[in-house]
Amino acid sequence: MAHPLAGHFSVDHSARLMRNYRYAVERAMRALGGWIALTPELSAKLLMGRHVWDLAQQADAFGRRLPELRAHTQVSEPASERVVAFMDAVEEPAAPGQTVERLVGVYRVLKPHLLSSYHDHLVRANPVYEPPTRRLLLRCIDDERRHIAAGETVLGHLCAPALAERVLAWQRRLEALVEAAGGVTGEGLPPAPPDTAQTPIETSDDAREFVRLERPVASWPMPEDLREALDSFGESLRARNLAAVAHWLAAGVSPDPARDALTGATLTSQRLVAFARLGHQRLVKWRLEGPDAAVTVLARWAPGPDGWRVALLDVGRIEVLRPALPRH
Amino acid sequence: MERPIAYDKLAREDRWIRMRAREVAELKVAQGFPPFADLSTPDSIRERVHGILVGEMQAMEGAGRTVCDFPDVPWEFTMDMARQVWDESRHVEIYLRLLEHLGGYPGEFPETTILWRCACAEDAAARVAGVNRGLEGLACDVFNQLVHIARKIGDPILERAVEFVLADEITHVRMGSKWLTKLTEGDPERRRKAIEFQETIDERFNLGGVRREGDHEAVSISIATDVRRMAGFTEEEIERLVRTTQRSQVY
């Protein structure tokens, strides 16, 4: 049996590990903070918003531990350029259509790796003279287990089967990078920690609620005559039947935006995606999709003597549908 | 990652419809509605709550960008901004649930992005002056009034939840005051520009005379002088704000 005062880490070594962890955690914190605005899905925004503060506290705790280990306070240090390259890659997906890549990078690659690293450090840190480090690691382990579980919940919600292959490729690429770096400490990948009982989930941090709150309303509340008008208008757009579209336009409203956007596009489906109130008027958005293009049409509907009519017609966005693959 | 990002990079699900604030106000006035939801009916309370939800979302996004955009500021500043991201993310959840409580849904009203634009200032000192003091100051006014109205109409859910959010906003204003001072120490020009930026935001959010000093039930947005004092605004600042609201008559 090892002597109770036998130790694996020197003070300097321990300080370096704190700086290495702090580097990864600080970068993850800044990336999550920056991504909130770049991420369309509410559940993912809330997930990131919750975890930025946890990561800031982790980075702060690592930074405060440093002067206790004869090192400068609040310093981050990558173990090598390969760690920098790994974190650069984690941070890379910034397009609106790359939410799953962002989440996979942090919640399926980085955080599980950090969890393993903290656990491996914990079991090797001396319980007699390293309790400050051990307590810090225990707190981070608890955070990471909770974060990973929450991330998986949101990923399960956002990762459609059609994205599975793309997402797996991204995950494999990041895993290769972290392996090549020898992990965030540069000392090699630690073994995965043993599976423990499920961490209790706090009500205020329950990712299942983030997913529930994101779900759209079952049906838009609207008068029946407007519903009929919208059904007809949406179908006319999809069929590119401009005469039928024109029937719904108020006097003086030009069909040109619709003509310009729809001409030449093959559209196979239409769905109403947004329905907002503006006084007595309604703002309505459709998404029309085909094999090569997606078009967003926005119309402001106003009630009048002839029933509901479009008072303003605009094309919000024209997209060429391509899988948003991360760069390699 | 790009730092900072352009205004139009703000990502939204399809269910949101974005419009300019001025256009929303003009279209409402043309239909005989007040330009800004006035809390006089359940519909207008729901519209106000929806507007706050959107504001909280943009505040979360803005604070997140501040964490990301300024890696070289003092670490304690980043800590305060990270804390704010957490607060705002809880506020978003609170207002989503309040909207549900009031029978509304996200996207029920158009989204305007004035708040987000203010959160995109390139200087960190200008951001905290504009967002934490200008916009969070406005939040103090709006939430204080909403607590009062909720109490009056007998809605303890709304009252209690908003009261806690208000407490957080007071903390955010204090953070703003602290960091405006610290970040501009020894640089009066930077401080002057940051304060100027805050004043343009205050002016803009007077909403053409909608925000005024007065009773909660008599004005659309009542300036919360006591709460503002608690948050650390000076008497001079409060008086200046009241004066500017008296001359802001054009939306």
Side-chain angles (χ1 to χ4, degrees), chain A residues 22 26 29-31 33-42 45-46 49-50 52-53 56-57 59-60 74 91 204 209-210 212-217 220-221 273-281 283-285 287 298 300 317, chain B residues 1 3 5 9-17 19 23-24 27-28 31 33 43 46 57 60-61 64-68 70-71 75 78-80 82-83 85-86 89-90 92-93 96-97 100 104-110 116:
Chain A
R22 192 179 188 280
E26 184 188 351
M29 170 198 72
R30 294 193 195 278
W35 281 340
I36 298 171
L38 300 171
T39 298
E41 299 86 354
L42 205 44
K45 280 183 193 289
L46 289 172
R50 286 301 207 282
V52 166
W53 174 233
Q57 288 177 95
D60 190 59
Q74 302 297 0
E91 198 182 288
S204 68
E209 275 298 294
F210 302 163
R212 186 189 71 77
L213 289 166
E214 183 184 291
R215 291 199 195 286
V217 286
W220 313 101
V273 292
F275 183 78
R277 298 159 48 127
L278 183 58
H280 298 303
Q281 303 184 354
L283 301 162
V284 186
K285 187 161 54 170
R287 187 174 168 89
L298 178 65
R300 176 159 53 82
R317 194 170 63 213
Chain B
M1 198 187 312
R3 290 182 171 93
I5 57 168
K9 288 278 180 77
L10 187 61
R12 284 287 177 272
E13 296 157 323
D14 276 340
R15 68 175 124 175
W16 301 93
I17 293 176
M19 280 178 79
E23 195 186 352
V24 171
L27 284 164
K28 287 175 70 181
Q31 296 175 65
F33 288 93
D43 269 4
R46 199 165 72 243
M57 206 153 67
M60 170 176 72
E61 292 161 332
R65 285 310 307 183
T66 301
V67 168
C68 177
F70 303 108
W75 172 247
T78 300
M79 285 293 286
D80 275 352
R83 167 62 197 234
V85 175
W86 186 48
S89 81
R90 285 183 286 104
V92 172
E93 182 180 344
L96 280 167
R97 289 169 186 270
E100 213 171 45
Y105 59 90
E108 186 177 3
F109 301 93
W116 166 248

Side-chain angles (χ1 to χ4, degrees), chain B residues 51-201:
Chain B
I52 297 170
L53 162 67
V54 167
E56 296 289 1
M57 206 153 67
Q58 292 176 20
M60 170 176 72
E61 292 161 332
R65 285 310 307 183
T66 301
V67 168
C68 177
D69 290 346
F70 303 108
D72 301 324
V73 292
W75 172 247
E76 293 74 17
F77 175 77
T78 300
M79 285 293 286
D80 275 352
M81 291 299 112
R83 167 62 197 234
Q84 193 171 328
V85 175
W86 186 48
D87 293 345
E88 306 295 5
S89 81
R90 285 183 286 104
H91 298 174
V92 172
E93 182 180 344
I94 290 165
Y95 277 99
L96 280 167
R97 289 169 186 270
L98 283 177
L99 195 60
E100 213 171 45
H101 166 68
L102 296 170
Y105 59 90
E108 186 177 3
F109 301 93
E111 175 183 17
T112 63
T113 52
I114 295 183
L115 194 152
W116 166 248
R117 283 169 179 261
C118 296
C120 290
E122 286 190 12
D123 180 32
R127 271 196 208 179
V128 290
V131 175
N132 287 63
R133 305 190 87 243
L135 295 170
E136 305 272 359
L138 170 75
C140 288
D141 300 334
V142 170
F143 297 170
N144 187 53
Q145 188 172 23
L146 196 51
V147 169
H148 174 87
I149 299 287
R151 196 175 296 139
K152 190 186 156 217
I153 62 174
D155 188 336
I157 305 285
L158 185 62
E159 181 190 344
R160 186 58 55 85
V162 177
E163 197 186 2
F164 269 93
V165 178
L166 174 59
D168 287 341
E169 304 300 359
I170 291 171
T171 305
H172 298 167
V173 175
R174 288 178 183 150
M175 281 179 191
S177 303
K178 176 177 92 179
W179 287 110
L180 172 64
T181 302
K182 288 199 173 184
L183 293 174
T184 60
E185 241 163 26
D187 191 345
E189 179 60 12
R190 188 181 179 196
R191 182 178 173 81
R192 186 188 63 75
K193 282 185 182 165
I195 290 173
E196 238 175 51
F197 182 61
Q198 182 197 326
E199 286 172 354
T200 62
I201 288 168

Side-chain angles (χ1 to χ4, degrees), chain A:
Chain A
M1 182 184 280
H3 191 283
L5 294 181
H8 183 84
F9 302 104
S10 69
V11 169
D12 285 349
H13 187 176
S14 186
R16 185 178 64 74
L17 293 175
M18 295 294 120
R19 288 193 295 272
N20 293 164
Y21 299 148
R22 192 179 188 280
Y23 173 79
V25 169
E26 184 188 351
R27 281 206 61 175
M29 170 198 72
R30 294 193 195 278
L32 287 183
W35 281 340
I36 298 171
L38 300 171
T39 298
E41 299 86 354
L42 205 44
S43 57
K45 280 183 193 289
L46 289 172
L47 179 81
M48 294 171 182
R50 286 301 207 282
H51 295 168
V52 166
W53 174 233
D54 285 340
L55 292 176
Q57 288 177 95
Q58 287 184 15
D60 190 59
F62 288 131
R64 284 176 192 271
R65 178 76 180 120
L66 282 167
E68 299 166 2
L69 299 168
R70 298 193 311 245
H72 290 298
T73 189
Q74 302 297 0
V75 173
S76 295
E77 180 189 35
S80 68
E81 279 307 309
R82 287 185 167 189
V83 174
V84 177
F86 165 63
M87 289 305 302
D88 284 349
V90 168
E91 198 182 288
E92 193 181 286
Q98 290 182 303
T99 301
V100 288
E101 278 88 352
R102 289 190 277 279
L103 296 182
V104 161
V106 171
Y107 293 95
R108 280 198 184 152
V109 182
L110 176 63
K111 283 180 174 289
H113 167 66
L114 287 174
L115 173 62
S116 303
S117 303
Y118 298 151
H119 185 268
D120 185 55
H121 189 159
L122 176 72
V123 296
R124 291 191 292 153
N126 184 280
V128 180
Y129 48 73
E130 292 185 86
T133 297
R134 287 169 57 94
R135 283 193 179 196
L136 201 174
L137 292 168
L138 276 169
R139 185 249 152 106
C140 294
I141 287 169
D142 182 49
D143 277 357
E144 295 309 348
R145 284 195 198 282
R146 199 163 38 82
H147 289 191
I148 292 164
E152 276 305 322
T153 301
V154 174
L155 268 167
H157 164 62
L158 295 179
C159 193
L163 297 175
E165 198 180 325
R166 190 181 98 186
V167 164
L168 191 63
W170 180 241
Q171 184 176 335
R172 295 281 177 261
R173 181 189 167 205
L174 294 179
E175 284 169 347
L177 285 171
V178 74
E179 188 178 354
V184 296
T185 64
E187 295 179 357
L189 292 186
D195 229 6
T196 55
Q198 278 219 323
T199 313
I201 296 172
E202 300 161 35
T203 313
S204 68
D205 203 11
D206 186 347
R208 290 169 301 187
E209 275 298 294
F210 302 163
V211 170
R212 186 189 71 77
L213 289 166
E214 183 184 291
R215 291 199 195 286
V217 286
S219 78
W220 313 101
M222 66 178 81
E224 199 47 42
D225 57 340
L226 178 58
R227 189 179 300 278
E228 285 165 15
L230 298 184
D231 286 347
S232 165
F233 189 75
E235 202 40 44
S236 305
L237 286 169
R238 188 203 59 76
R240 293 184 294 161
N241 182 344
L242 290 171
V245 167
H247 166 75
W248 293 106
L249 304 183
V253 176
S254 167
D256 289 350
R259 178 183 295 124
D260 297 346
L262 301 178
T263 302
T266 305
L267 300 166
T268 51
S269 69
Q270 59 90 8
R271 67 194 158 95
L272 196 154
V273 292
F275 183 78
R277 298 159 48 127
L278 183 58
H280 298 303
Q281 303 184 354
R282 297 292 181 269
L283 301 162
V284 186
K285 187 161 54 170
W286 283 267
R287 187 174 168 89
L288 300 125
E289 287 182 352
D292 307 314
V295 177
T296 302
V297 175
L298 178 65
R300 176 159 53 82
W301 289 74
D306 300 328
W308 290 92
R309 287 293 181 271
V310 174
L312 183 92
L313 182 64
D314 196 12
V315 178
R317 194 170 63 213
I318 301 169
E319 293 171 357
V320 176
L321 289 176
R322 284 196 202 107
L325 283 169
R327 284 187 284 127
H328 287 270

